[in-house]
Amino acid sequence: MTSAARPDADALLTDHLRHWAGRRPQQRAFSHVHFPDPASEGLHRTLGWRALDARARAVADRLVILAAPGDRAALVMPQGLDYTAAFLGCLYARVIAVPLFSPRLPGHEGRLAAVLADCEPACLLSDSTTATSVEAFVLDHALPVVPVVPVDRLPLQRFAFDEAESAPAPDDIAYLQYTSGSTREPAGVMISHANVVANARQAIDAFVVDPGATTTVGWLPLFHDMGLVLSIAAPVVGGFPSVLMDPVAFLENPARWLRLLGSYDGTISAAPNFAYDYCVARTDPAVLDELRLDRVRVLINGSEPVRPGTIDRFHTAFAPAGLDPATHAPAYGLAEATVFVAADADAAAPTTVACDAGALAEGRVEVLPDSEDAALLVSCGAPAGQEVEIVDADGDVLPEDRVGEIRLRGPNIGRGYWKRADRAFCDPEGRLRTGDLGALHDGRLLVTGRLKDVIIVDGRNHYPQDIEETVQSAVDLVRRDRLAAFGVPRADGTGEELVVVAEHRRDAEPTADDAADAERTVRAAVSARHGLRLGALLLVPPGTVPRTSSGKVARTAARACHLDGGFGPR
């Protein structure tokens, strides 16, 4: 396809949607695969570009009656085509979308209520299957009663929506991306229409070789920054198909995702670190003969940080299905930057840097000749159309191979936090404060951890994810990636000591002796590997360690729970 067949460089998401609806009206745009029972191979429901555009305009037609430009509309419905149409309809109507989830999602009722109270929506967009539960949720949580709109029942005829009058400006807020809250309470990042298009283009430049031979396949929640940009924004900007499935469908059977990856040429998808390990653990080896993973173009791993062992295990398990090691693309991003910042999307296997652990604790990257006894960091590649700088505590730029806070500039940087003008977003030089630590090595980004998660013992920095990897590698009783390491004040007030809270395996019922043996093993491993004395290892039942809505371990919440006695006596 020639460049003349694409929208102008300054086109917004709604301009792209309108363009593809006119140019490719019947071509497959978005599909949703539903798995009604465990034996189902998946029921596909698909919209072409014209049909998707008509559905989005129908949502806009209702919104302009219920809300004024700049008002908020919260999306509280299941993953699927209705969700996609509702989001795009908000953009058409210049109503600020707030991507959320159905009240039926277990374990996150408090977060949903808090976000709805914070964003103060003029209406709630739902579907006919969840509208009643949404209305009940509002009443049960004493939230303001606003109209609930089942978008799947809206007529396709338009009466109130005037496209010319409702055209958004680039700097208008398109949506509020509420952060997952891994280190603090969720806050809504204001993402403009220009921000989301810029980041979609950055993702396309990083991952897409040929838009005409590309399909995104996603199970990540659409209320999550990565899911929204990769599964909605990038396909609309690039004009290529998107295939959606529900996160629960993945958790029930990860082979469903793997099969969909091999159902199209040039597939691109993303998942957090735990999902790749989950695929290895939960996929029947007999399924390998059914998979066509040679058709996969890119598998993004956006965890903080990416674990080298996960990459190795995943490729060892699925190489017989044709998976190329070069498909795995470690990446770094955050909601405040819309999502994508950097990615190692070269046509080669991911790069692992073996660092001297002692030097890393002192803020230096010193490369060792081999990986034995080294701290392994996976390169997240080069910045994607934006500027990355590493700074010290005073905001001064550090040279390569020095660890400091990652700060960013670029057209994808959000406009601040909703209703939180007092919360620092950018520094005086206009750089986004990420709160993440990392270093540049050979021009590529190495992410070492979260600034607020760093454990400081005797003046040395220790990264919790490294300690957690040591613990779960030393004790088979611990569930992988279901543990949190953090520092707590010592009883004598002389600094911090290390505590690890870890869930035990679902098939285990550890006795007091088992717990004592595990603590002795972990104490020896942590001492040998990190030069740290373990204060305590707490084994807790599955599902106990707090997690964010995007599946990350919430270490700050785990620490607070421990200090409050939530895991038992201290």
Side-chain angles (χ1 to χ4, degrees):
M1 182 183 301
T2 64
S3 59
R6 297 196 165 273
D8 295 335
D10 59 352
L12 303 181
L13 215 57
T14 47
D15 299 323
H16 285 85
L17 177 58
R18 184 167 51 248
H19 176 88
W20 302 126
R23 293 276 184 146
R24 308 174 181 175
Q26 305 302 323
Q27 190 174 94
R28 177 171 59 90
F30 281 71
S31 300
H32 178 250
V33 185
H34 175 55
F35 297 89
D37 58 69
S40 173
E41 295 184 359
L43 303 177
H44 290 64
R45 182 175 167 229
T46 298
L47 291 176
W49 288 108
R50 178 182 290 169
L52 175 62
D53 186 57
R55 296 283 300 279
R57 289 168 184 264
V59 174
D61 192 68
R62 180 59 59 90
L63 285 174
V64 297
I65 297 172
L66 299 174
D71 283 348
R72 277 74 57 209
L75 282 65
V76 281
M77 66 181 77
Q79 189 122 322
L81 302 180
D82 293 325
Y83 201 110
T84 304
F87 176 77
L88 296 170
C90 290
L91 305 192
Y92 261 135
R94 293 179 61 198
V95 170
I96 299 172
V98 186
L100 292 170
F101 43 87
S102 165
R104 295 176 178 174
L105 182 68
H108 297 287
E109 296 86 351
R111 180 176 187 269
L112 179 59
V115 172
L116 289 175
D118 185 68
C119 72
E120 300 177 287
C123 62
L124 304 174
L125 302 181
S126 184
D127 64 7
S128 54
T129 67
T130 56
T132 301
S133 63
V134 169
E135 292 168 347
F137 183 88
V138 168
L139 294 175
D140 290 345
H141 291 79
L143 295 167
V145 176
V146 296
V148 176
V149 181
V151 299
D152 55 333
R153 293 179 179 173
L154 295 175
L156 296 183
Q157 299 91 342
R158 285 186 290 130
F159 303 98
F161 172 56
D162 186 308
E163 186 175 311
E165 289 184 1
S166 298
D171 289 336
D172 286 347
I173 301 172
Y175 61 98
L176 302 180
Q177 180 64 66
Y178 275 84
T179 61
S180 58
S182 59
T183 61
R184 62 182 181 222
E185 286 299 309
V189 181
M190 298 182 288
I191 302 297
S192 73
H193 288 263
N195 290 153
V196 66
V197 171
N199 204 229
R201 286 200 177 112
Q202 290 163 342
I204 291 169
D205 290 343
F207 303 121
V208 177
V209 174
D210 177 10
T214 295
T215 296
T216 61
V217 174
W219 60 264
L220 289 178
L222 295 178
F223 61 82
H224 185 266
D225 48 10
M226 179 83 80
L228 186 67
V229 171
L230 190 65
S231 289
I232 295 183
V236 170
V237 170
F240 45 81
S242 174
V243 178
L244 305 169
M245 62 180 286
D246 194 273
V248 173
F250 167 79
L251 293 173
E252 289 175 343
N253 184 358
R256 293 166 170 168
W257 178 53
L258 299 172
R259 289 190 181 97
L260 286 176
L261 289 175
S263 298
Y264 310 90
D265 286 324
T267 50
I268 297 175
S269 193
N273 203 85
F274 87 85
Y276 294 103
D277 274 325
Y278 190 72
C279 286
V280 173
R282 294 291 300 272
T283 302
D284 187 339
V287 172
L288 291 176
D289 292 339
E290 306 172 22
L291 303 179
R292 286 286 312 278
L293 299 184
D294 56 305
R295 306 178 80 178
V296 178
R297 166 79 181 98
V298 175
L299 290 176
I300 303 165
N301 186 332
S303 297
E304 300 168 4
V306 178
R307 297 189 189 277
T310 297
I311 297 174
D312 294 340
R313 286 188 291 271
F314 187 80
H315 283 292
T316 297
F318 296 105
L323 186 68
D324 185 342
T327 61
H328 209 100
Y332 167 71
L334 67 166
E336 288 83 351
T338 307
V339 63
F340 288 109
V341 172
D344 187 4
D346 295 338
T351 302
T352 299
V353 181
C355 304
D356 181 279
L360 195 62
E362 296 173 357
R364 305 188 314 276
V365 173
E366 294 184 2
V367 180
L368 298 177
D370 57 60
S371 61
E372 187 175 356
D373 297 325
L376 301 180
L377 298 178
V378 177
S379 169
C380 289
Q386 52 203 286
E387 181 182 349
V388 174
E389 292 181 338
I390 308 299
V391 305
D392 62 18
D394 296 322
D396 295 327
V397 178
L398 293 170
E400 280 215 343
D401 293 330
R402 290 289 302 279
V403 176
E405 185 185 359
I406 302 168
R407 296 197 182 175
L408 311 171
R409 289 192 190 93
N412 54 304
I413 304 303
R415 302 187 52 169
Y417 296 112
W418 176 253
K419 298 198 303 187
R420 288 169 172 81
D422 59 334
R423 178 177 287 181
F425 196 80
C426 291
D427 64 17
E429 286 72 34
R431 301 170 301 196
L432 173 67
R433 303 171 185 263
T434 67
D436 291 320
L437 293 173
L440 290 171
H441 176 72
D442 293 338
R444 294 170 173 265
L445 182 63
L446 303 176
V447 180
T448 59
R450 290 285 297 168
L451 185 60
K452 292 184 178 181
D453 284 342
V454 170
I455 302 167
I456 303 175
V457 178
D458 298 329
R460 291 169 62 87
N461 292 346
H462 300 272
Y463 299 102
Q465 67 275 2
D466 295 338
I467 297 169
E468 290 158 7
E469 178 64 23
T470 297
V471 172
Q472 64 189 13
S473 297
V475 180
D476 185 56
L477 191 62
V478 172
R479 290 184 76 199
R480 179 161 287 276
D481 294 330
R482 296 296 193 275
L483 66 167
F486 47 82
V488 299
R490 288 174 177 154
D492 59 8
T494 59
E496 288 199 329
E497 66 178 3
L498 173 66
V499 171
V500 179
V501 178
E503 296 179 9
H504 62 70
R505 294 197 324 269
R506 289 190 181 276
D507 60 351
E509 294 184 8
T511 64
D513 288 342
D514 293 333
D517 287 344
E519 186 171 66
R520 281 192 292 271
T521 301
V522 167
R523 180 169 281 110
V526 168
S527 176
R529 181 73 173 169
H530 305 281
L532 272 174
R533 181 182 181 279
L534 177 71
L537 170 69
L538 305 177
L539 285 177
V540 296
T544 302
V545 175
R547 301 181 73 81
T548 70
S549 60
S550 59
K552 299 177 185 176
V553 170
R555 298 188 183 94
T556 300
R559 181 179 186 273
C561 183
H562 172 66
L563 293 175
D564 289 341
F567 297 124
R570 291 181 58 192

Coordinates of all heavy atoms in Angstrom, one line a residue, residues 72 74 76 98-101 108-121 137 143 176-179 185-188 418-420 549:
R72 N -16.8 13.0 31.4 CA -16.2 11.7 31.4 C -17.3 10.7 31.2 O -18.4 10.8 31.7 CB -15.5 11.4 32.7 CG -14.0 11.9 32.7 CD -14.0 13.4 33.0 NE -14.6 13.8 34.2 CZ -15.2 15.0 34.3 NH1 -15.2 15.8 33.4 NH2 -15.9 15.3 35.5
A74 N -17.4 6.5 31.7 CA -16.6 5.3 32.2 C -17.1 4.1 31.4 O -18.3 3.8 31.3 CB -16.8 5.2 33.7
V76 N -17.5 0.4 31.7 CA -17.6 -0.7 32.7 C -18.3 -1.9 32.1 O -19.5 -2.1 32.3 CB -18.4 -0.2 34.0 CG1 -17.5 0.7 34.8 CG2 -19.6 0.7 33.6
V98 N -13.0 6.8 30.1 CA -12.3 6.2 31.2 C -12.4 4.7 31.1 O -13.3 4.1 31.5 CB -12.9 6.7 32.6 CG1 -12.0 6.2 33.7 CG2 -13.0 8.2 32.6
P99 N -11.3 4.1 30.5 CA -11.4 2.6 30.4 C -11.3 1.9 31.7 O -10.3 2.0 32.4 CB -10.1 2.3 29.5 CG -9.8 3.6 28.9 CD -10.2 4.7 29.9
L100 N -12.3 1.1 32.0 CA -12.4 0.4 33.3 C -12.9 -1.0 33.0 O -12.5 -1.6 32.0 CB -13.3 1.1 34.3 CG -12.7 2.4 34.8 CD1 -13.8 3.2 35.6 CD2 -11.5 2.2 35.6
F101 N -13.6 -1.6 33.9 CA -14.0 -3.0 33.8 C -15.3 -3.3 34.4 O -15.8 -2.4 35.1 CB -12.9 -3.9 34.4 CG -12.4 -3.4 35.7 CD1 -13.1 -3.7 36.9 CD2 -11.3 -2.6 35.8 CE1 -12.6 -3.3 38.1 CE2 -10.8 -2.1 37.0 CZ -11.5 -2.4 38.2
H108 N -11.6 -6.6 42.6 CA -11.2 -5.2 42.3 C -12.3 -4.2 42.5 O -12.4 -3.1 41.9 CB -10.7 -5.1 40.9 CG -9.4 -5.9 40.6 ND1 -8.2 -5.5 41.1 CD2 -9.2 -7.1 40.0 CE1 -7.3 -6.4 40.8 NE2 -7.9 -7.4 40.1
E109 N -13.3 -4.6 43.3 CA -14.5 -3.8 43.5 C -14.1 -2.4 44.2 O -14.6 -1.4 43.8 CB -15.5 -4.5 44.4 CG -16.1 -5.7 43.8 CD -15.3 -7.0 44.1 OE1 -14.1 -6.8 44.6 OE2 -15.7 -8.1 43.8
G110 N -13.2 -2.5 45.1 CA -12.7 -1.2 45.8 C -12.1 -0.3 44.8 O -12.3 1.0 44.9
R111 N -11.2 -0.8 44.0 CA -10.5 0.1 43.0 C -11.5 0.7 42.0 O -11.5 1.9 41.7 CB -9.5 -0.8 42.2 CG -8.8 0.1 41.2 CD -7.7 -0.7 40.5 NE -6.9 0.1 39.6 CZ -7.1 0.3 38.3 NH1 -8.2 -0.3 37.8 NH2 -6.3 1.1 37.6
L112 N -12.5 -0.1 41.5 CA -13.5 0.4 40.6 C -14.3 1.5 41.3 O -14.5 2.6 40.6 CB -14.5 -0.7 40.2 CG -15.6 -0.3 39.2 CD1 -15.0 0.3 37.9 CD2 -16.4 -1.5 38.9
A113 N -14.7 1.3 42.5 CA -15.5 2.4 43.2 C -14.7 3.6 43.4 O -15.2 4.8 43.2 CB -16.0 1.9 44.5
A114 N -13.4 3.5 43.7 CA -12.5 4.6 43.9 C -12.3 5.4 42.6 O -12.3 6.7 42.6 CB -11.2 4.2 44.5
V115 N -12.1 4.7 41.5 CA -11.9 5.4 40.3 C -13.1 6.1 39.8 O -13.1 7.2 39.3 CB -11.4 4.4 39.2 CG1 -11.3 5.1 37.8 CG2 -10.0 3.9 39.6
L116 N -14.3 5.5 39.9 CA -15.5 6.1 39.5 C -15.8 7.4 40.4 O -16.2 8.4 39.8 CB -16.7 5.1 39.7 CG -16.8 4.0 38.7 CD1 -17.9 3.0 39.0 CD2 -16.9 4.5 37.3
A117 N -15.5 7.3 41.6 CA -15.6 8.5 42.5 C -14.7 9.6 42.1 O -15.0 10.8 42.1 CB -15.4 8.1 44.0
D118 N -13.5 9.2 41.6 CA -12.4 10.2 41.3 C -12.7 10.9 39.9 O -12.6 12.1 39.8 CB -11.1 9.5 41.2 CG -9.9 10.5 41.0 OD1 -9.7 11.3 41.9 OD2 -9.3 10.5 39.9
C119 N -13.2 10.1 38.9 CA -13.4 10.6 37.6 C -14.7 11.3 37.4 O -14.9 12.1 36.4 CB -13.1 9.6 36.5 SG -14.5 8.3 36.4
E120 N -15.7 11.1 38.3 CA -17.0 11.7 38.2 C -17.6 11.6 36.8 O -17.9 12.6 36.2 CB -16.9 13.2 38.7 CG -16.3 13.4 40.1 CD -16.2 14.8 40.5 OE1 -15.2 15.4 39.9 OE2 -17.0 15.3 41.3
P121 N -18.0 10.4 36.4 CA -18.5 10.3 35.0 C -19.9 10.9 34.9 O -20.7 10.8 35.8 CB -18.5 8.8 34.8 CG -18.7 8.2 36.2 CD -17.9 9.2 37.1
F137 N -24.1 -1.9 41.4 CA -22.8 -1.5 42.0 C -22.8 -0.1 42.4 O -22.3 0.3 43.5 CB -21.7 -1.8 40.9 CG -20.3 -1.5 41.4 CD1 -19.6 -2.5 42.1 CD2 -19.7 -0.3 41.3 CE1 -18.3 -2.2 42.5 CE2 -18.5 0.0 41.7 CZ -17.7 -1.0 42.3
L143 N -22.4 5.7 45.1 CA -21.9 6.6 44.0 C -23.0 7.4 43.4 O -24.2 7.0 43.5 CB -21.2 5.7 43.0 CG -19.9 5.0 43.4 CD1 -19.5 3.9 42.4 CD2 -18.8 5.9 43.7
L176 N -8.6 9.0 30.3 CA -7.9 8.9 31.5 C -7.4 7.5 31.7 O -8.2 6.6 31.7 CB -8.8 9.3 32.7 CG -9.4 10.7 32.7 CD1 -10.2 10.9 33.9 CD2 -8.3 11.8 32.5
Q177 N -6.1 7.3 31.7 CA -5.5 6.0 31.9 C -5.1 5.8 33.4 O -4.2 6.4 33.9 CB -4.3 5.8 31.1 CG -3.7 4.4 31.2 CD -4.6 3.3 30.8 OE1 -4.9 3.2 29.6 NE2 -5.0 2.4 31.7
Y178 N -6.0 5.1 34.2 CA -5.7 5.0 35.6 C -4.6 4.0 35.8 O -4.6 2.9 35.2 CB -7.0 4.6 36.3 CG -7.8 5.8 36.7 CD1 -8.7 6.4 35.8 CD2 -7.6 6.4 37.9 CE1 -9.4 7.5 36.1 CE2 -8.3 7.6 38.3 CZ -9.2 8.1 37.3 OH -9.9 9.2 37.7
T179 N -3.6 4.4 36.5 CA -2.4 3.5 36.8 C -2.8 2.3 37.6 O -3.8 2.4 38.3 CB -1.3 4.3 37.5 OG1 -1.8 4.8 38.7 CG2 -0.9 5.5 36.6
E185 N -1.7 4.7 45.3 CA -3.1 4.7 44.9 C -3.3 5.0 43.4 O -2.5 5.8 42.9 CB -3.9 5.7 45.8 CG -4.2 5.2 47.2 CD -4.9 3.9 47.3 OE1 -6.0 3.8 46.7 OE2 -4.5 3.0 48.0
P186 N -4.2 4.4 42.7 CA -4.4 4.7 41.3 C -4.6 6.1 41.1 O -5.3 6.8 41.8 CB -5.6 3.8 40.9 CG -5.7 2.7 41.9 CD -5.2 3.4 43.2
A187 N -4.0 6.7 40.0 CA -4.2 8.0 39.6 C -4.5 8.0 38.1 O -3.9 7.2 37.3 CB -3.0 8.9 39.9
G188 N -5.3 8.9 37.6 CA -5.7 9.0 36.2 C -4.7 9.9 35.4 O -4.7 11.1 35.6
W418 N -5.1 13.6 36.6 CA -6.4 14.1 36.7 C -6.7 14.6 38.1 O -6.5 13.8 39.1 CB -7.4 13.0 36.3 CG -8.9 13.4 36.5 CD1 -9.7 13.0 37.4 CD2 -9.6 14.3 35.6 NE1 -11.0 13.5 37.3 CE2 -10.9 14.3 36.2 CE3 -9.3 15.1 34.5 CZ2 -11.9 15.1 35.6 CZ3 -10.3 15.8 33.9 CH2 -11.6 15.8 34.5
K419 N -7.0 15.9 38.2 CA -7.3 16.5 39.5 C -6.2 16.4 40.5 O -6.4 16.5 41.7 CB -8.6 15.9 40.1 CG -9.9 16.0 39.3 CD -11.1 15.8 40.1 CE -11.2 14.5 40.7 NZ -12.5 14.2 41.4
R420 N -5.0 16.3 40.1 CA -3.8 16.2 41.0 C -2.7 17.1 40.5 O -1.6 16.7 40.2 CB -3.3 14.8 41.1 CG -4.3 13.9 41.9 CD -3.9 12.4 41.8 NE -4.7 11.6 42.7 CZ -5.9 11.1 42.4 NH1 -6.5 11.5 41.3 NH2 -6.5 10.4 43.3
S549 N -4.4 -4.4 39.4 CA -5.3 -4.9 38.4 C -4.7 -5.4 37.1 O -5.3 -6.1 36.3 CB -6.3 -3.7 38.0 OG -5.6 -2.6 37.5

